[in-house]
Amino acid sequence: MMIKKNAFIKGTGSYVPPKILKNDFFEAIGSSDEWIYKNLGIKERRIAVGEVTSDLAYKAGLEALKEADLKPKDIDLIIVATSTPDRQAPSTACFVQEKMGAYQAVAFDISAVCSGGLYGIAIGCQFIETGMYQNVLIIGADTFSTITDWERKDSVFFGDGAGAILLSGTTEDKGFFDFKLHADGRGKYHFNIPAGGSEMPASEETLKQKLHYFQMNGKEVFNTATKVLPETITEILEANKLSADDVDWVIPHQPSIRILQETARKVNIPFEKVMTNMDKYANTSGGTIPIVLDETYKSGKIQPGNILLFAAVGSGWTWGTALYKA
């Protein structure tokens, strides 16, 4: 008889490139440090130079392995959540696997944009809970600087970075104990990259029109995020007979400070419990949740028995929550 295992966080890691781009860069397009920080919570972001997405993912993954006291040969599965893969094929996860020398590991990418880190965790947990794999490496990594039109005002939102989570199985009373994931394709055009896929293959015209850069409807992002995040947080807390007071720390995606503040207000969670790092890194898309988690663990805030609430919303629309007992 197989003993059911929970998936728990055995190690975390993160990596951001060294180049810093401060808010004063955007004065040329009519923005300002004061406006960006007040409305988005961003002071600066990191930009990859001479590094690709798999490089960032690889370095974050190695740190998570080190924290977990594991070797590349111990990994059963590598999942990379990214919207900025090294190439359309093969997967960025295969590049990471090769760089690590983890040749025995299964490797694949997922695409859920800013919800990618959370979706990846949910997928990894299923493999552990069914007993198929013991050690699963989840990496969220993006280099949004490569798909940013720096002449658009929404170029202020994103930065480059990667975070990694090593999930393992345990029979102890800890680990992830619920997920609520959602999607709604009716919002697909409010944040998208029009060209480069089969719908609109690359051409001289798509390059001229800058259709290979992301396009965002900021108002729709704000309105959707501040609607669905409180709803799904309430959904998962009620399903587990928990209240906002039972949550010790919120580990969210980093869309903007105003979105997180409004979400916390609606669900009555003190904002001091909401972990943020967008002031340093902006929105690193798939990398946000694992990077914030890594920083929170290393700060010493998370103690055994703490309840963590994960939350994310991204293009698609995609969104969801998770609960974790440390």
Side-chain angles (χ1 to χ4, degrees):
M1 179 179 176
M2 187 179 72
I3 299 174
K4 186 179 185 302
K5 291 186 177 181
N6 295 327
F8 82 104
I9 299 165
K10 192 176 181 70
T12 62
S14 60
Y15 174 79
V16 293
K19 181 179 178 180
I20 297 173
L21 188 67
K22 293 183 178 292
N23 286 342
D24 56 10
F25 171 84
F26 300 98
E27 291 177 0
I29 59 171
S31 195
S32 69
D33 175 65
E34 180 183 7
W35 187 92
I36 296 169
Y37 185 62
K38 178 182 177 181
N39 290 279
L40 307 181
I42 300 168
K43 294 293 288 184
E44 59 190 38
R45 72 281 297 142
R46 300 301 181 96
I47 304 296
V49 178
E51 293 179 300
V52 295
T53 299
S54 65
D55 292 324
L56 277 58
Y58 162 69
K59 292 173 183 178
L62 282 186
E63 187 178 332
L65 280 177
K66 182 179 179 181
E67 288 290 319
D69 196 25
L70 294 176
K71 303 295 184 184
K73 65 180 178 59
D74 299 317
I75 305 171
D76 301 308
L77 169 64
I78 299 170
I79 300 173
V80 175
T82 185
S83 308
T84 54
D86 288 14
R87 301 181 184 186
Q88 284 191 307
S91 71
T92 300
C94 281
F95 281 94
V96 173
Q97 187 231 45
E98 188 272 335
K99 288 175 181 179
M100 284 188 168
Y103 302 116
Q104 74 295 327
V106 178
F108 61 83
D109 290 356
I110 64 166
S111 177
V113 197
C114 295
S115 300
L118 183 59
Y119 269 47
I121 293 168
I123 294 168
C125 285
Q126 311 311 307
F127 282 102
I128 290 171
E129 290 173 8
T130 60
M132 187 169 182
Y133 298 131
Q134 173 64 21
N135 297 311
V136 176
L137 184 60
I138 310 296
I139 306 175
D142 271 303
T143 50
F144 255 64
S145 62
T146 62
I147 56 169
T148 296
D149 179 356
W150 298 103
E151 295 179 354
R152 287 174 58 101
K153 286 194 174 182
D154 53 19
S155 61
V156 304
F157 278 86
F158 292 93
D160 301 341
I165 301 170
L166 197 289
L167 297 175
S168 288
T170 181
T171 56
E172 296 179 35
D173 181 25
K174 63 180 181 179
F176 285 95
F177 59 94
D178 200 9
F179 291 90
K180 301 296 181 188
L181 302 180
H182 301 276
D184 186 350
R186 289 170 292 186
K188 62 186 177 293
Y189 294 127
H190 292 304
F191 188 105
N192 79 117
I193 302 168
S198 61
E199 179 188 18
M200 192 181 297
S203 66
E204 184 177 350
E205 192 59 30
T206 63
L207 291 172
K208 282 182 180 178
Q209 295 185 32
K210 299 185 176 182
L211 297 178
H212 297 267
Y213 296 127
F214 78 82
Q215 297 180 359
M216 179 171 70
N217 182 332
K219 183 178 179 181
E220 285 295 330
V221 170
F222 181 86
N223 290 342
T224 299
T226 54
K227 175 181 182 292
V228 301
L229 284 178
E231 288 177 350
T232 190
I233 289 171
T234 300
E235 174 191 21
I236 199 168
L237 291 178
E238 289 182 349
N240 290 276
K241 296 180 171 55
L242 297 173
S243 71
D245 292 337
D246 295 313
V247 175
D248 293 291
W249 304 108
V250 181
I251 310 296
H253 160 55
Q254 306 287 294
S256 77
I257 199 73
R258 288 182 59 215
I259 288 175
L260 295 185
Q261 288 170 338
E262 181 65 8
T263 298
R265 184 191 69 79
K266 286 185 174 181
V267 297
N268 295 312
I269 292 179
F271 198 67
E272 302 78 56
K273 292 184 177 183
V274 181
M275 300 294 97
T276 66
N277 63 6
M278 65 190 78
D279 59 325
K280 298 180 293 184
Y281 307 132
N283 181 348
T284 54
S285 191
T288 53
I289 281 181
I291 294 174
V292 170
L293 179 67
D294 181 49
E295 291 188 342
T296 306
Y297 261 113
K298 287 181 169 60
S299 72
K301 289 185 171 75
I302 299 172
Q303 298 298 312
N306 279 177
I307 298 297
L308 309 185
L309 170 66
F310 293 74
V313 59
S315 173
W317 301 114
T318 58
W319 69 95
T321 48
L323 285 169
Y324 180 87
K325 183 178 181 181

